[in-house]
Amino acid sequence: MAMNTEDILRQAGLKRTPGRVALVELLLEARSPLTLQEITARLSGVKLNETSIYRSLDAFIKAGIVHRLETGERIWRFALCACSNQGHCHPHFICEACGKAECLNEIIIPHFREPRPGYVVEKQELYFKGLCARCAAPAGR
Ligand SMILES: [Zn+2]
Ligand SMILES: [Zn+2]
């Protein structure tokens, strides 16, 4: 993603606050989706509590710049996304051995707006579950 923090917030129509800037920067740098706990821990230097982080994430999701994925029972992870349909223009991979989650940005899934006449799709999510390359590799080789 060749966008910077300022562009992202401006395009989303969100005001720049130090907290939002720090949050977008963190998500830009992150190579995989982060849990709220990971985000809170990494932003401990910035004066932001979990509630305001959560509120900012919520605003980002509504603005379409962040998507949320469920990577386990009540475990949510957040990632920046350039696509408008809640970030689910791409599938996600979840490793069932180490719990790692990744955005598979290179795979584009078509957006099914009307799978059957009269039906309206509001959200589409595609998850691949299995083993990541590290967990799938035979041990000791
Ligand atoms: Zn793994
Ligand atoms: Zn994603």
Side-chain angles (χ1 to χ4, degrees):
M1 208 185 292
M3 295 231 286
N4 64 38
T5 309
E6 225 152 289
D7 290 340
I8 292 170
L9 286 174
R10 195 178 43 234
Q11 278 192 12
L14 293 168
K15 245 190 232 142
R16 274 189 57 192
T17 63
R20 282 178 182 166
V21 169
L23 191 53
V24 171
E25 270 166 11
L26 173 67
L27 292 170
L28 263 181
E29 281 165 23
R31 312 191 92 223
S32 56
L34 302 173
T35 62
L36 188 58
Q37 286 80 356
E38 287 167 336
I39 292 169
T40 311
R42 292 189 202 186
L43 288 181
S44 57
V46 187
K47 283 210 167 64
L48 265 186
N49 59 32
E50 205 170 285
T51 312
S52 49
I53 292 173
Y54 198 80
R55 252 189 240 131
S56 296
L57 284 170
D58 207 47
F60 290 177
I61 290 167
K62 288 197 179 111
I65 56 170
V66 160
H67 60 284
R68 187 174 83 151
L69 48 144
E70 191 171 14
T71 56
E73 191 103 15
R74 290 163 186 264
I75 302 171
W76 300 96
R77 285 173 201 262
F78 302 87
L80 275 182
C81 190
C83 50
S84 55
N85 50 45
Q86 304 261 349
H88 290 102
C89 54
H90 59 261
H92 292 98
F93 186 87
I94 296 163
C95 176
E96 295 192 296
C98 68
K100 183 166 86 170
E102 274 173 30
C103 291
L104 302 174
N105 291 310
E106 68 279 22
I107 302 172
I108 294 160
I109 47 175
H111 188 43
F112 295 98
R113 288 180 196 284
E114 200 185 272
R116 282 183 171 171
Y119 284 47
V120 178
V121 174
E122 289 174 339
K123 209 185 270 180
Q124 77 172 27
E125 300 178 20
L126 178 60
Y127 291 100
F128 295 130
K129 296 182 182 180
L131 299 172
C132 70
R134 201 156 37 137
C135 293
R141 273 205 216 158

